[in-house]
Structures are given as structure tokens and as C-alpha cells.
């Protein structure tokens, strides 16, 4: 087997391990899958009349307005399991055995993040399938749903990389899972749940500064209006930006950890 | 040792246990504050809807998250009891000559006491955030009555579950049921602005009355019309879940 083929096999094996490791533990992905759906059902029902407020963007229903938020919320919460998986590997000694083997160092990160991205991609389709039963129409069509799923996968890898960086730094699954409020706050301090046009004061200023607002508004446009290159690339660019930052931090911390263990 | 001393001993230990575990105190203390700020900010435009009774979003959402924070304090106590059951500490308590009612009362008393901190914090946040306090101290008293009673009811439900299942894995059921009971009501929107299935559920959900009791001082004056249904609902919930916890305690064996 040549070097490239060996590296590809390592990437594949580690991403499969990350993905099946998550799927084998329903407690790590079922809440992140169900909670946003439950919250979406409740808010869509209770806030339905709010779409008639002057200044609210033109939408068919609150469900149509909020579905992109539910996808991103689910993806963010689900991606934290990438970090806890890595932390469990460190706590359980698997990480030590892995670095003692001749496995490519980059595959340690890439393998886990590829698995997380694949789960994020599937999660978006599950959300569209469930909400379609309840009357959701995506104006961007199937191509629009695919675009949202691609952004969801990229963001899953990005949030997963930050979570993995925390796992490498702390080596504790509990501490990694403790990062949940950070992402939660990032989501809430944005236009995730209500349009910025109806916000006021410092909250509106915070939501305007928060890149999450632009990611969500771009995805929302794909759902409520049409698929446009500008909206897709704006959302993808922000998700990839998170991934680049997360990967840079995770790689630096991994290098430091390997140097300490050597 | 008197029954009262046993009850206080168990209460004291539960409070200490929860305080020593930041992972349990943070959700019941920090999350209500974060959620109040986030919802009052994000949904500030919601009060523009014709028929909405609040002048400011904080007047609507602060009582919701004060009550939910109190309920989650009860859930934390349930998780602490489940932990004691898992580690075997509770078995030792059950083998002691202390009466089971005293042991149960000790755990249940910890719930409202634990919620005092988040209540004070949220009232301060309300002041800083410009909440209306239209009814003055009477409104805060109503909010306190609703919060501490909900902490007791949710604590009894969670402790009852812990005693029945004897595992910490029951925690998600405690949290999900408390969350659903809150949100399947007038938690986010007033009853007159709800439609469809949620309106039907909210009308029969006693939590709608509890929120009306807690919110009245922020929306207008304290009046008997909004007070008595809330008090009856709280009394019903508390008695029902305390009986559930008592029955669970009777069934538990070391």
C-alpha cells in the first residue's frame, strides 16, 4: 500500500470510528436531535401570530422562519459530542495508544471531524423530512435543502474542531461538555429566534456583531425565498471560518500535547 | 435524634452536595439569568403584537424563567438523591432509625431553599433590566409564592422519580417533563394569542394559572382573579407530587 492510500485508509477508519462511536451511544446524539425539534414545535405553535407584526420578514409560517435555526441548533449541540468523544479517548487511554502507532497525526483530527460533518449533514435532512410532514415548504427546493445541509456539515466540523481543541486542552469529557453554554449564548445572542428588525437596544447591537446572525439569515433566505449563490457562500464562508479557527487552535494544542507526551 | 433534626440534617447535606457540584448549581442559577436576558432581548418585538398584555418583553419572560429556574432547582435535588441512591449512601439512611417521612421532608425542603438564590438574582436582574414592577412588593411576593411552590412540586416529582428508578440516568426524564410542563402553557405567549393544539393544551395545563399568578405584578395590579386559580393549581401540584414522592419512598428498599 503506498503512502497516500495508507493515509486515506487511516482517515476513513478514524472517521468511521468517530461516527459509529457516536451512533452507538444514543445519549450523545438523541437529545441534540430531538430537543431542537421539540423546541421548534413549541415555538412554531406559540409564536405563529408573531409573523403578522409589522416589520417581520415575509414568511408562510413561523415554522418556515425557524427551521434553519433548528438545524443549526441541532448541529451545534450534536458537534460537542466530537469533543467529548476525543476526551473519552484521552481518559480511556485510546489516544495514547493511537499516538504510539505510526498513524498520520492529521488523521487524528480530520478523522473525527469528518465523522462529525457527516452526522451534521444527515441531521439537516432529518429535520427537513420531519418538518415537511408538518407543512414546511422550502422555497429553494431540493437544491436549497442540499445547500443548507452542506453548510450544516461545515459548521458541524467547525464547532466540532473547537470542541476537540477543548478536549485536547483539558482531557476531560465533563469540561468539554461544559462548553455547551458558550455555544448556546452565541446562538441566543443572534437573530436565531426573531428577526433583527424587531430587536432593539444592546441586544440588537450584539446580534448585528454576531456572525451567527448572518449565517442564519442566509440559510433562512434559502428556505423562505430562493437559493442564491450569495446566501449560500455567505453561510458557507462563516461556517468554514469557524472551521479554520477551530482547526488552527486544535492543531496547535495537539502539537503541544504530543510534545509533552514524547 | 428528633424528626426535625433528621429533616434539617438531610436538607443541609443536600444543599452542601449541590453547592459542591458546580455542574449541578450552574444550570439552576446561571441558565435562568441567561435565558431571561436572551429571551427578553430576542423577543423584544413580541409585545408589539395587538393583544399582548406586557409593555416590555422582560415583564413577560422574567416570571417564566424565575419559575423555571426554581423548578430546575427541584430537579437538581432529585438528581442529588439519585446520586446518593447510586453510591449507596441513601441505603445507609434508610437503615438508620430515622423515619422515612423525615428523610423525604429533608430532601423536599432543600428544593425551595435552593431556589432562593436564583430568585434573588433574577429580581435584581429585573430591576437592572428595567422591569415594570407595576404592583410593587406585592408582585414580587406573588412571584416568590409561585417560584418556591414550583420548586417544591418539581422537587417532589424529581425525588419521587429518583426513588422509583434508583439511577442518575433518570435525570433527562426529570428535566424534559419539567420543561414540557412549562412550555405547553402560556409560557411564551398569552392565552388569547395562542391558536390550535397548543391553545387547547394550555387551557387545561395548570402551569398557565401559575404563570398568571407570577406575572400579574409585572403586568398590572395584584388581583384575586389572577391569584386564586394560581394558588389552587400550585396547591394541587404540590400535594399530588408530594404524595407521589411519599408513595415512592414507601416502596423503596435498601
Amino acid at each position: 500500500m503506498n503512502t497516500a492510500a495508507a493515509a486515506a485508509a487511516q482517515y476513513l477508519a478514524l472517521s468511521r470510528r468517530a461516527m459509529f462511536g457516536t451512533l452507538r451511544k444514543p445519549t450523545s446524539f438523541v437529545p441534540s436531535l430531538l430537543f431542537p425539534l421539540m423546541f421548534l414545535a413549541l415555538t412554531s405553535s406559540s409564536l405563529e401570530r408573531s409573523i403578522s407584526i409589522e416589520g417581520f420578514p415575509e414568511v408562510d409560517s413561523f415554522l418556515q422562519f425557524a427551521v434553519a435555526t433548528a438545524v443549526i441548533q441541532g448541529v451545534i449541540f450534536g458537534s460537542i459530542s466530537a469533543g467529548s468523544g476525543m476526551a473519552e479517548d484521552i481518559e480511556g487511554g485510546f489516544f495514547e495508544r493511537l499516538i504510539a502507532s505510526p498513524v498520520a497525526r492529521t488523521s487524528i483530527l480530520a478523522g473525527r471531524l469528518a465523522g462529525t460533518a457527516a452526522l451534521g449533514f444527515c441531521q439537516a435532512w432529518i429535520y427537513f423530512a420531519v418538518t415537511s410532514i408538518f407543512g414546511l415548504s422550502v422555497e429553494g427546493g431540493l437544491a436549497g435543502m442540499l445547500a443548507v445541509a452542506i453548510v450544516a456539515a461545515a459548521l458541524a466540523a467547525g464547532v466540532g474542531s473547537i470542541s476537540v481543541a477543548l478536549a485536547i486542552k483539558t482531557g476531560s469529557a465533563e469540561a468539554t461538555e461544559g462548553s455547551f453554554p458558550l455555544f448556546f449564548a452565541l446562538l441566543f445572542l443572534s437573530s436565531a429566534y426573531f428577526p433583527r428588525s424587531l430587536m432593539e437596544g444592546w441586544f440588537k447591537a450584539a446580534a448585528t456583531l454576531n456572525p451567527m446572525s448572518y449565517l442564519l439569515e442566509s440559510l433562512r433566505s434559502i428556505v423562505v425565498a430562493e437559493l442564491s449563490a450569495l446566501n449560500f457562500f455567505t453561510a458557507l464562508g462563516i461556517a468554514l471560518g469557524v472551521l479554520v479557527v477551530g482547526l488552527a487552535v486544535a492543531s496547535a494544542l495537539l502539537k503541544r500535547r504530543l510534545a509533552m507526551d514524547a | 435524634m428528633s424528626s426535625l433534626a433528621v429533616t434539617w440534617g438531610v436538607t443541609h447535606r443536600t444543599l452542601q452536595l449541590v453547592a459542591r457540584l458546580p455542574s449541578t448549581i450552574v444550570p439552576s442559577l446561571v441558565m435562568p439569568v441567561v435565558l431571561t436576558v436572551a429571551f427578553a432581548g430576542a423577543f423584544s418585538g413580541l409585545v408589539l403584537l395587538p393583544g399582548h398584555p406586557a409593555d416590555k418583553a422582560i415583564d413577560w419572560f422574567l416570571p417564566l424563567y424565575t419559575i423555571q429556574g426554581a423548578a430546575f432547582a427541584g430537579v437538581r435535588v432529585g438528581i442529588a438523591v439519585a446520586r446518593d441512591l447510586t453510591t449507596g449512601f441513601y441505603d445507609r439512611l434508610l437503615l438508620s432509625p430515622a423515619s422515612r417521612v423525615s428523610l423525604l421532608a429533608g430532601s423536599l425542603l432543600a428544593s425551595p431553599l435552593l431556589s432562593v438564590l436564583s430568585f434573588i438574582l433574577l429580581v435584581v436582574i429585573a430591576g437592572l433590566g428595567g422591569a415594570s414592577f407595576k404592583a410593587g412588593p406585592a408582585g414580587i411576593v406573588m412571584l416568590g409564592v409561585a417560584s418556591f411552590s414550583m420548586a417544591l412540586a418539581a422537587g417532589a416529582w424529581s425525588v419521587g422519580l429518583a426513588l422509583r428508578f434508583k439511577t442518575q440516568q433518570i435525570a433527562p426524564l426529570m428535566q424534559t417533563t419539567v420543561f414540557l410542563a412549562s412550555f405547553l402553557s402560556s409560557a411564551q405567549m398569552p392565552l388569547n394569542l395562542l391558536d390550535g393544539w397548543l391553545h387547547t393544551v394550555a387551557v387545561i395545563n395548570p402551569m398557565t394559572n401559575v404563570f398568571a399568578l407570577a406575572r400579574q405584578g409585572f403586568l398590572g395590579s395584584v388581583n384575586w382573579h389572577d391569584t386564586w386559580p394560581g394558588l389552587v393549581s400550585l396547591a394541587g401540584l404540590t400535594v399530588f407530587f408530594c404524595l407521589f414522592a411519599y408513595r415512592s419512598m414507601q416502596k423503596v428498599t435498601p
Side-chain angles (χ1 to χ4, degrees):
Chain A
M1 197 185 276
N2 63 32
T3 319
Q10 287 166 10
Y11 285 121
L12 199 65
L14 286 172
S15 61
R16 273 186 58 188
R17 182 179 176 275
M19 207 157 71
F20 286 111
T22 305
L23 292 176
R24 276 193 201 112
K25 263 189 4 190
T27 49
S28 67
F29 74 92
V30 171
S32 69
L33 194 69
L34 291 186
F35 185 81
L37 273 178
M38 200 166 77
F39 196 69
L40 178 67
L42 288 169
T43 50
S44 301
S45 233
S46 61
L47 302 179
E48 185 59 33
R49 287 210 198 175
S50 64
I51 64 171
S52 64
I53 299 175
E54 202 180 323
F56 201 98
E58 210 168 292
V59 290
D60 286 349
S61 61
F62 197 85
L63 176 69
Q64 197 187 38
F65 175 83
V67 70
T69 300
V71 170
I72 295 306
Q73 193 182 29
V75 159
I76 288 178
F77 296 167
S79 308
I80 296 173
S81 67
S84 8
M86 175 71 104
E88 279 165 14
D89 281 353
I90 294 170
E91 285 171 342
F94 177 80
F95 182 79
E96 298 294 322
R97 292 199 298 273
L98 193 65
I99 57 171
S101 70
V103 69
R105 296 315 188 223
T106 48
S107 68
I108 297 173
L109 284 181
R112 189 162 287 282
L113 296 181
T116 308
L119 286 174
F121 185 81
C122 297
Q123 208 167 346
W125 285 107
I126 292 171
Y127 280 32
F128 281 129
V130 173
T131 49
S132 295
I133 298 170
F134 294 96
L136 173 79
S137 68
V138 177
E139 301 302 326
L142 265 179
M145 290 188 215
L146 178 66
V148 174
I150 290 170
V151 173
L155 189 69
V159 173
S161 65
I162 294 172
S163 177
V164 163
L166 279 168
I168 297 169
K169 173 80 180 162
T170 62
S172 153
E174 197 181 342
T176 308
E177 278 161 16
S179 65
F180 167 79
L182 174 82
F183 294 111
F184 189 75
L186 198 68
L187 197 63
F188 261 99
L189 289 171
S190 73
S191 55
Y193 300 96
F194 224 55
R196 267 189 298 150
S197 54
L198 292 173
M199 291 177 188
E200 45 191 45
W202 70 269
F203 198 92
K204 186 175 186 171
T208 303
L209 286 174
N210 188 348
M212 191 60 80
S213 294
Y214 301 97
L215 183 143
L216 281 159
E217 285 164 15
S218 301
L219 294 184
R220 195 172 288 146
S221 294
I222 294 172
V223 176
V224 303
E226 57 176 7
L227 173 61
S228 75
L230 177 68
N231 284 328
F232 174 62
F233 286 112
T234 302
L236 188 65
I238 294 169
L240 290 176
V242 176
L243 178 61
V244 168
V245 172
L247 267 180
V249 177
S251 304
L253 289 170
L254 181 65
K255 248 184 213 168
R256 196 190 295 172
R257 187 165 195 116
L258 292 175
M260 274 165 53
D261 289 348
Chain B
M1 204 177 196
S2 72
S3 295
L4 274 179
V6 171
T7 299
W8 178 244
V10 174
T11 302
H12 189 245
R13 186 183 176 280
T14 308
L15 292 175
Q16 271 188 329
L17 185 68
V18 175
R20 279 184 194 143
L21 290 167
S23 58
T24 66
I25 192 81
V26 167
S28 60
L29 197 62
V30 178
M31 285 310 275
V33 175
V34 171
L35 288 170
T36 301
V37 173
F39 270 70
F43 295 116
S44 54
L46 209 58
V47 296
L48 299 172
L49 205 58
H52 201 290
D55 293 338
K56 297 174 188 168
I58 194 165
D59 294 333
W60 188 255
F61 288 106
L62 183 108
L64 161 64
Y65 287 107
T66 308
I67 289 175
Q68 209 174 62
F72 273 95
V75 170
R76 298 293 134 196
V77 170
I79 294 171
V81 170
R83 189 171 182 268
D84 279 347
L85 282 157
T86 313
T87 58
F89 179 80
Y90 217 83
D91 288 344
R92 278 178 276 163
L93 283 181
L94 291 170
L95 289 169
S96 73
S99 84
R100 292 189 170 206
V101 174
S102 309
L103 296 177
L104 182 62
S107 298
L108 296 186
L109 188 60
S111 307
L113 289 178
L114 195 63
S115 68
V116 170
L117 205 57
S118 67
F119 174 77
I120 294 171
L121 194 63
L122 280 160
V123 170
V124 171
I125 298 273
L128 295 174
S132 297
F133 294 114
K134 283 184 179 165
I140 298 174
V141 170
M142 290 299 127
L143 181 63
V145 168
S147 301
F148 302 139
S149 306
M150 264 319 291
L152 183 58
W157 163 242
S158 305
V159 169
L161 282 177
L163 290 168
R164 286 204 181 223
F165 292 93
K166 288 182 160 186
T167 168
Q168 287 184 80
Q169 286 175 339
I170 200 66
L173 182 65
M174 299 174 189
Q175 291 160 334
T176 311
T177 45
V178 166
F179 176 83
L180 278 178
S182 298
F183 275 88
L184 290 171
S185 70
S186 60
Q188 287 183 294
M189 283 287 256
L191 213 48
N192 58 310
L193 294 177
L194 288 177
D195 297 306
W197 67 271
L198 190 57
H199 181 267
T200 312
V201 176
V203 167
I204 55 170
N205 186 349
M207 288 305 295
T208 297
N209 294 332
V210 175
F211 287 126
L213 169 75
R215 279 175 175 144
Q216 57 180 321
F218 291 84
L219 306 178
S221 61
V222 171
N223 59 76
W224 186 237
H225 176 261
D226 284 328
T227 304
W228 76 262
L231 292 178
V232 170
S233 299
L234 282 170
L237 289 170
T238 308
V239 169
F240 181 78
F241 288 124
C242 282
L243 279 174
F244 169 71
Y246 177 69
R247 292 281 297 151
S248 305
M249 184 59 135
Q250 278 183 320
K251 285 182 181 172
V252 77
T253 48

